[in-house]
Amino acid sequence: MKHNMFCFQCEQTAGCTGCTGRAGVCGKQANTANLQDALTGALIALARTIQGKQTVSAKISKQIIDGLFTTVTNVNFNDVTIQQRIDAIHRELPAGTADYDMKKVWDAQEDIRSLKSLILFGIRGMAAYAYHAMILGYTDAQLDAFFVKALCAVGEDTWGMDELLPIVLEVGEKNLACMALLDKANTETYGIPEPTTVPLTVEKGPFIVVTGHDLYDLKCLLEQTKDKGVAVYTHGEMLPAHGYPELKKYPHLKGNFGTAWQNQQKEFDNIPAPILFTTNCLMPPRPSYADRVFTTEVVSYPEMVHIDEARDFTPVIEKALELGGYAEDQPFTGINGGHTVTTGFGHGAILRAADQIVDAVKSGAIRHFFLVGGCDGARPGRNYYTEFVKQTPPDTVVLTLACGKYRFNDLDLGTIGGLPRLMDVGQCNDAYGAIQVAVALAKAFDCGVNELPLSMVLSWYEQKAVCILLTLLYLGIQNIRLGPTLPAFLSPNVLQFLVEHYHIAPISTPEEDLKAILGE
């Protein structure tokens, strides 16, 4: 028997209100969505059993982080593996403990539902970052305890806005600490990113495409493909890997294939190579390449080969050798026709040039900074971000991050003050780095961040964008422009609160927004 679903956690949710039929816009079937709700209900029950304890065991913390990450959009479409996670949680619960019924959240008064959604979707995104740090051996007991606190808040049926709103902002606070932890994990493991030009040409011969976000999977694959005659190419949010010294030292990490996640069904069509999905951004594979899709970590799709925690990528390597790659070099381009892209402008690289940047601002060479980044997606209207960047004046700098940059990262905007006008800060979690840059500039000019000539024009799709937005609100960042649509889970009252206190605004047109920002 088929059941209906309810899900409105991503930007592309049906009708900008919610997916309520037998399948979601993302391709998730109703039974899978309902199992993800059941998994969340089990996590809330688990959190309640340990609420108030001073420490959370490593085993329980891992179950919570894994479980939350599993429910992020485009991560897991596999009912079997989701049920296995539910069963594992049930084994930790005292006999007779009932799972929390998520219908209580979805059927709640709209403002309560809205605030609980912000908390839940925020910690789902935060769990993705905690997961990547955990894989590298970096954990934080305070973050582990907060996951428990937040899950319990979602399950509090008597709480009102006064109790829930502080938890919403605490998600932002704790996500800032979580992104800092991941930044430390990545830089201490792989080095401080360096500005790097990345080719988009795929050389002839066997190759593997790695997509997602997890640098550890990439490192393991690079190590296992040494001297095998197999090249490795990044895709999507893996592009920033090229900037890390400990990853770029592998000569067979050749370049970048394709663009953002939502184009994969077209770009992977009949690709003569395997694709390894390390985290979210998996779309239902089409028959033309389904036999060469491999998943790892919490990512799972029915009938796709899954690489377990031992990370033995032999099946992926063998598939690459079997398919053979292209017979001749393939000179691909970005969306705007560029043959290369640049990355590696993390906060370490930018802050090394801080004096240069400050001098350029004081001299008038740099008038304004724009942070244009976030998630990409397929909904019409996202070409706004391409046009916005194209129309930024030549005396402005564009910082970008996450997969939204693929709309414009192959553009050549020239240089300013000896620096590129377009600088890729990194993955979505590297919003932490962008924040560090803003804080450093504010210190240099002896002003608040909101007084800087800096504007944030953000795109969102899934839950990691939610937790980053909450971090920016926690920091008191004002006048954020958000698009292409506002979240369906924001009730009118909650949205009005954000407008009144933080002056969040939806994007309009590039021309109107630039005029308003620059006061022209």
Side-chain angles (χ1 to χ4, degrees):
M1 178 180 179
K2 291 187 177 181
H3 302 281
N4 287 340
M5 63 186 285
F6 175 76
C7 183
F8 63 169
Q9 69 177 5
C10 85
E11 189 269 334
Q12 290 177 189
T13 194
C16 294
T17 57
C19 295
T20 57
R22 295 181 176 179
V25 172
C26 68
K28 177 172 61 180
Q29 298 299 304
N31 193 57
T32 305
N34 293 331
L35 277 173
Q36 290 183 351
D37 271 359
L39 174 55
T40 305
L43 288 171
I44 292 172
L46 178 62
R48 284 172 162 174
T49 66
I50 57 176
Q51 187 178 21
K53 290 187 177 181
Q54 289 188 339
T55 59
V56 182
S57 72
K59 179 183 179 182
I60 296 300
S61 292
K62 187 176 187 306
Q63 283 188 308
I64 290 174
I65 290 170
D66 288 357
L68 286 169
F69 193 5
T70 295
T71 59
V72 171
T73 304
N74 292 95
V75 171
N76 194 310
F77 295 79
N78 193 331
D79 293 356
V80 173
T81 58
I82 298 172
Q83 186 62 57
Q84 288 171 347
R85 292 198 183 278
I86 296 170
D87 295 341
I89 293 169
H90 285 167
R91 289 192 288 270
E92 302 294 333
L93 297 176
T97 303
D99 293 345
Y100 181 76
D101 184 1
M102 290 300 294
K103 281 183 62 64
K104 293 181 180 179
V105 174
W106 311 139
D107 293 342
Q109 188 272 338
E110 66 173 0
D111 295 330
I112 302 303
R113 180 177 78 164
S114 184
L115 292 173
K116 286 189 173 185
S117 294
L118 279 167
I119 295 169
L120 177 59
F121 302 158
I123 61 172
R124 283 176 174 175
M126 180 175 145
Y129 300 145
Y131 181 95
H132 297 312
M134 179 177 65
I135 290 297
L136 295 176
Y138 290 72
T139 59
D140 184 323
Q142 290 186 331
L143 296 179
D144 295 339
F146 179 70
F147 281 121
V148 172
K149 177 181 179 179
L151 282 166
C152 289
V154 174
E156 287 286 355
D157 296 326
T158 60
W159 281 14
M161 293 185 70
D162 289 343
E163 293 86 2
L164 291 170
L165 188 57
I167 306 295
V168 171
L169 294 178
E170 192 174 358
V171 174
E173 176 189 9
K174 292 301 191 294
N175 183 60
L176 179 63
C178 191
M179 290 193 297
L181 181 69
L182 180 54
D183 179 79
K184 180 181 180 181
N186 284 338
T187 55
E188 290 187 354
T189 304
Y190 307 115
I192 297 174
E194 306 165 349
T196 304
T197 299
V198 183
L200 303 182
T201 294
V202 176
E203 297 178 11
K204 66 179 180 180
F207 68 99
I208 297 168
V209 174
V210 184
T211 190
H213 302 73
D214 199 275
L215 301 177
Y216 183 66
D217 283 321
L218 176 61
K219 174 70 184 307
C220 292
L221 180 65
L222 288 169
E223 194 63 31
Q224 291 177 39
T225 47
K226 280 197 308 187
D227 304 319
K228 296 281 180 67
V230 176
V232 176
Y233 292 83
T234 55
H235 173 269
E237 283 269 55
M238 292 299 284
L239 170 63
H242 291 273
Y244 287 94
E246 289 302 308
L247 298 174
K248 65 187 299 183
K249 71 181 184 181
Y250 290 91
H252 59 297
L253 179 59
K254 293 288 189 177
N256 191 73
F257 176 92
T259 54
W261 67 273
Q262 80 280 353
N263 299 320
Q264 65 189 256
Q265 291 179 329
K266 177 179 66 177
E267 293 176 346
F268 294 163
D269 186 42
N270 287 307
I271 182 175
I275 310 106
L276 176 65
F277 285 85
T278 67
T279 54
N280 58 311
C281 301
L282 170 67
M283 294 178 71
R286 290 184 172 171
S288 65
Y289 64 91
D291 67 328
R292 56 208 68 180
V293 168
F294 296 81
T295 61
T296 187
E297 301 181 14
V298 300
V299 189
S300 188
Y301 196 89
E303 300 180 4
M304 301 294 108
V305 177
H306 188 77
I307 307 297
D308 63 22
E309 292 183 358
R311 289 179 170 78
D312 180 359
F313 292 115
T314 300
V316 188
I317 297 169
E318 290 177 345
K319 178 60 76 171
L321 293 170
E322 173 195 332
L323 292 170
Y326 294 110
E328 300 294 337
D329 292 357
Q330 298 295 311
F332 293 105
T333 65
I335 289 177
N336 301 286
H339 294 279
T340 62
V341 293
T342 58
T343 191
F345 289 95
H347 61 95
I350 295 177
L351 293 181
R352 279 196 294 267
D355 291 343
Q356 189 178 349
I357 294 171
V358 170
D359 289 344
V361 174
K362 288 181 176 178
S363 71
I366 296 178
R367 175 174 36 148
H368 205 87
F369 296 88
F370 297 98
L371 176 62
V372 185
C375 310
D376 204 359
R379 190 188 295 277
R382 287 182 178 267
N383 61 329
Y384 163 94
Y385 297 94
T386 310
E387 294 306 313
F388 185 96
V389 169
K390 284 181 177 180
Q391 293 179 37
T392 54
D395 58 353
T396 62
V397 170
V398 178
L399 304 176
T400 189
L401 52 80
C403 61
K405 63 175 166 269
Y406 279 104
R407 294 273 169 175
F408 49 78
N409 69 337
D410 63 323
L411 290 171
D412 182 1
L413 299 185
T415 61
I416 184 171
L419 295 167
R421 279 194 56 226
L422 176 60
M423 291 186 272
D424 177 9
V425 178
Q427 294 182 339
C428 53
N429 53 281
D430 290 311
Y432 171 78
I435 290 166
Q436 296 308 108
V437 170
V439 169
L441 288 173
K443 184 177 180 180
F445 290 106
D446 192 24
C447 67
V449 171
N450 288 314
E451 298 171 274
L452 287 171
L454 168 68
S455 300
M456 298 191 181
V457 183
L458 306 179
S459 57
W460 81 283
Y461 173 71
E462 43 92 337
Q463 296 74 69
K464 285 180 286 185
V466 174
C467 64
I468 291 171
L469 177 63
L470 295 180
T471 292
L472 296 174
L473 300 184
Y474 160 73
L475 291 170
I477 305 296
Q478 302 275 328
N479 301 309
I480 297 170
R481 282 172 166 76
L482 185 65
T485 63
L486 294 177
F489 50 81
L490 288 182
S491 68
N493 286 333
V494 171
L495 177 59
Q496 185 60 30
F497 175 87
L498 297 179
V499 171
E500 288 179 0
H501 288 80
Y502 301 100
H503 302 104
I504 283 183
I507 59 173
S508 58
T509 67
E511 295 80 7
E512 290 175 359
D513 289 345
L514 278 166
K515 183 177 179 180
I517 290 169
L518 297 174
E520 296 177 343

